[in-house]
Amino acid sequence: MQTGSRIDNIQEFTQICREHRLKITPQRIAIYRELLNSDTHPAADTIYQILKKEYTNISFDTVNRTLLTFAKIGIVEVVETFGGAKRFDPNVTNHHHIHCSQCGKILDFYSRAYDKLAVPDGVYEQFQVVSKRVILKGICKDCRQ
Amino acid sequence: MQTGSRIDNIQEFTQICREHRLKITPQRIAIYRELLNSDTHPAADTIYQILKKEYTNISFDTVNRTLLTFAKIGIVEVVETFGGAKRFDPNVTNHHHIHCSQCGKILDFYSRAYDKLAVPDGVYEQFQVVSKRVILKGICKDCRQ
DNA sequence: CTTTTTGCAAAGCGTTTGCATTGAA
DNA sequence: TTCAATGCAAACGCTTTGCAAAAAG
């Protein structure tokens, strides 16, 4: 099942970068900070659009490659989507997702009952299960007006 | 929650096409048949590669557009992925998915316990929930050798 | 016959790669 | 000073669109 805890501050972030021998660049800090500031699991381009206002020189590639690097070292997760661009989540603790089918936003929610679900026997025989998540789909408050 | 039942045969399929005023073409029948034959939730291109051996003239576009049409009328579902091409599922009954992180195969499984899960209160207030599914990730038997 | 569907080609996104330049350590 | 990271450009893969020809009803 999912392990590890959410990194809430930039100090912890730089510490983890050092452990993985990743250089700490202003871009990496800014990208990680934007990820923490958002709660809708942004795509690379969403983060790029925000950051290029502040850092006129930043490139989409850096944002995208950095997010993939973060995923590789386990501080962000690529979340499930139904087509379209990859979406990223800085929350690597045990949690679940709800997708709005209208506006595409993805929100986290928590449920002890969901966390406690056992993996069915038939699955255990076929798969070595690594993670478990409940995905809800629906229409959010904003989209219902 | 999910409703509707799996369409097991081509007769039912043609009936539903008629109800939606979709013309019944050899391509549509072949595409739907291939979807039923597969249990790994193929991408459009996977189905295209299979069908072009049999129907030398079929185009990728037809396969792709047809799958999207099927999704629109509700006889197939676009399933969750973690990047890459859309994957399609002809099983629109209540079920759950397990993904192999190595080979990318997606398999259905069933669990009464999972089906019975209630939507948490906090979510009900924010979302009108339409569907609910448990997503497991792991390594399948084949990939473990 | 009418209208939808098909196949093809081109365009549109999102992602990935190679490479010279820049910057962190 | 060294080596990783960045920015840029080009390539690649998946998806979508417009349109003339073909096929279904």
Side-chain angles (χ1 to χ4, degrees), chain A residues 81 114 118 130 133 135 137, chain B residues 81 114 118 130-131 133 135 137:
Chain A
T81 47
Y114 285 11
V130 172
R133 172 162 294 155
I135 309 298
K137 278 174 138 188
Chain B
T81 47
Y114 285 10
V130 173
S131 82
R133 172 161 295 157
I135 310 300
K137 280 175 140 188

Side-chain angles (χ1 to χ4, degrees), chain B residues 111-131:
Chain B
S111 162
R112 281 293 294 126
Y114 285 10
D115 295 344
K116 278 192 294 196
L117 280 177
V119 174
D121 288 347
V123 172
Y124 255 136
E125 289 151 22
Q126 297 292 329
F127 271 82
Q128 187 181 324
V129 177
V130 173
S131 82

Side-chain angles (χ1 to χ4, degrees), chain B residues 7-48:
Chain B
I7 306 165
D8 292 286
N9 59 66
I10 299 301
Q11 238 135 37
E12 266 188 72
F13 166 74
T14 56
Q15 178 56 31
I16 290 182
C17 283
R18 263 185 230 106
E19 282 166 20
H20 287 88
R21 275 143 202 78
L22 290 185
K23 294 187 172 169
I24 293 148
T25 65
Q27 291 93 330
R28 285 185 172 156
I29 292 174
I31 291 162
Y32 191 72
R33 180 173 37 73
E34 270 323 308
L35 216 42
L36 288 183
N37 282 348
S38 168
D39 68 344
T40 58
H41 309 75
D45 190 63
T46 310
I47 294 195
Y48 170 63

Side-chain angles (χ1 to χ4, degrees), chain B residues 41 75-77 79 87-92 95 97 108 133:
Chain B
H41 309 75
I75 61 172
V76 314
E77 232 179 279
V79 308
R87 305 276 293 264
F88 298 89
D89 190 349
N91 182 352
V92 292
H95 70 282
H97 287 155
D108 289 347
R133 172 161 295 157

